[in-house]
Amino acid sequence: MEYEEEYGQIVAHLQGLANPEIAAHSQRFFKTGEGEYGYGDKFLGIRVPLTRQAVRKFQAVPVSIAAKLIKSEYHEVRLFALLLLGFHFPRSDAKKQKAIYHLYMSNIRYVNNWDLVDSSAPHIAGAYLEDKCRSVLYELAQSDSLWERRIAVISTFHFIRNHQFEDTLGISDQLLNDPEDLIQKAVGWMLREVGNRDLTAEVAFLKNRYRKMPRVMLRYAIEKFSKEERQEYLQGLV
């Protein structure tokens, strides 16, 4: 199989970094119990900095190898694949960036925990869509998949960093009544990031919506406000 040797080397390297105690902690931290959002996920027990070091060690391998790595049953191997794609994206020409984006989107079902989403969506999906139609993000925001909805809003972090807020606000509006805690936190976080750059834009968005927002979403959105302002929002007095 193509790139079989490189694949074996990467997997062997990551397995060599495994730590059972960290793995056991990660199983709990990432909610892998029955009925929890990460149910069934498996961990080797590798700290993220070591995974990032491994990406740099193997940065010369073809990005197409990520198509196999991302299907791994082990969380850290999938994270490695996503970080590898994210490492190569800004260093690639337009043709290669398109290939990375399509590899990512065609394997989106394996981007199935919040850290996997947060470490990849802005750097791949968001970066690729910077100068393109972004309707795919609005479609993802309507998905039954918690992780696809999170990808939709977290991808817009790339736009926020470029002082483009329209899509963050539009997708946040779609997700305003989302029942999932991890979506509420993500939307609140992105709204806070908008406010860090343009407080007027955030306040205008909150004006007619904050009373309808889930409490978690609102708390995240107004985290940087003054204590007095936070209390006014939480008490519905704005």
Side-chain angles (χ1 to χ4, degrees):
M1 183 177 178
E2 192 177 15
Y3 308 131
E4 189 68 38
E5 183 178 353
E6 291 95 333
Y7 173 82
Q9 289 174 350
I10 291 169
V11 171
H13 179 78
L14 293 174
Q15 288 176 337
L17 298 173
N19 183 314
E21 289 185 9
I22 294 174
H25 175 268
S26 295
Q27 294 283 149
R28 296 188 298 272
F29 183 74
F30 287 101
K31 308 295 185 183
T32 62
E34 187 171 358
E36 296 182 309
Y37 62 73
Y39 176 61
D41 206 354
K42 296 181 179 180
F43 288 80
L44 291 169
I46 307 172
R47 299 291 189 194
V48 173
L50 290 179
T51 307
R52 292 187 182 278
Q53 287 177 22
V55 169
R56 290 193 290 273
K57 176 180 175 67
F58 291 100
Q59 64 182 269
V61 303
V63 295
S64 55
I65 200 169
K68 183 174 182 181
L69 292 165
I70 202 173
K71 297 179 176 69
S72 174
E73 64 180 328
Y74 289 106
H75 188 102
E76 295 94 340
V77 179
R78 300 198 305 280
L79 178 60
F80 175 95
L82 293 167
L83 292 176
L84 181 69
L85 294 176
F87 176 85
H88 278 279
F89 189 92
R91 297 167 174 81
S92 301
D93 59 23
K95 182 179 179 180
K96 191 173 180 181
Q97 287 183 344
K98 183 178 181 179
I100 291 171
Y101 169 76
H102 284 293
L103 192 159
Y104 181 76
M105 296 300 287
S106 63
N107 289 283
I108 201 170
R109 64 189 177 278
Y110 301 109
V111 188
N112 56 355
N113 215 311
W114 60 264
D115 64 317
L116 302 180
V117 172
D118 297 359
S119 61
S120 63
H123 311 297
I124 301 171
Y128 180 75
L129 296 170
E130 180 176 352
D131 58 352
K132 300 174 183 67
C133 174
R134 301 168 184 177
S135 61
V136 64
L137 298 181
Y138 291 84
E139 293 170 11
L140 289 175
Q142 298 178 49
S143 172
D144 291 335
S145 165
L146 158 66
W147 307 121
E148 290 185 4
R149 299 199 305 278
R150 188 166 175 112
I151 287 170
V153 67
I154 296 296
S155 290
T156 71
F157 201 178
H158 178 84
F159 313 146
I160 293 171
R161 288 171 174 147
N162 291 320
H163 293 266
Q164 301 169 19
F165 310 130
E166 182 179 353
D167 295 295
T168 302
L169 300 178
I171 290 170
S172 294
D173 221 8
Q174 278 189 231
L175 297 173
L176 204 64
N177 298 309
D178 199 289
E180 294 287 350
D181 178 77
L182 285 171
I183 300 300
Q184 296 170 15
K185 290 177 178 178
V187 171
W189 172 23
M190 290 301 101
L191 291 174
R192 185 174 74 237
E193 291 296 339
V194 169
N196 286 343
R197 294 158 178 83
D198 187 340
L199 185 59
T200 301
E202 183 188 4
V203 168
F205 180 86
L206 291 175
K207 183 177 181 181
N208 297 317
R209 298 172 178 84
Y210 81 94
R211 290 187 179 90
K212 300 178 288 185
M213 280 182 171
R215 208 67 164 177
V216 169
M217 186 185 294
L218 179 59
R219 285 186 181 277
Y220 269 63
I222 63 174
E223 186 177 291
K224 297 293 181 69
F225 289 21
S226 71
K227 182 178 179 180
E228 292 75 16
E229 288 173 320
R230 292 199 304 272
Q231 286 304 312
E232 288 180 351
Y233 273 96
L234 292 171
Q235 294 172 21
L237 300 176
V238 177

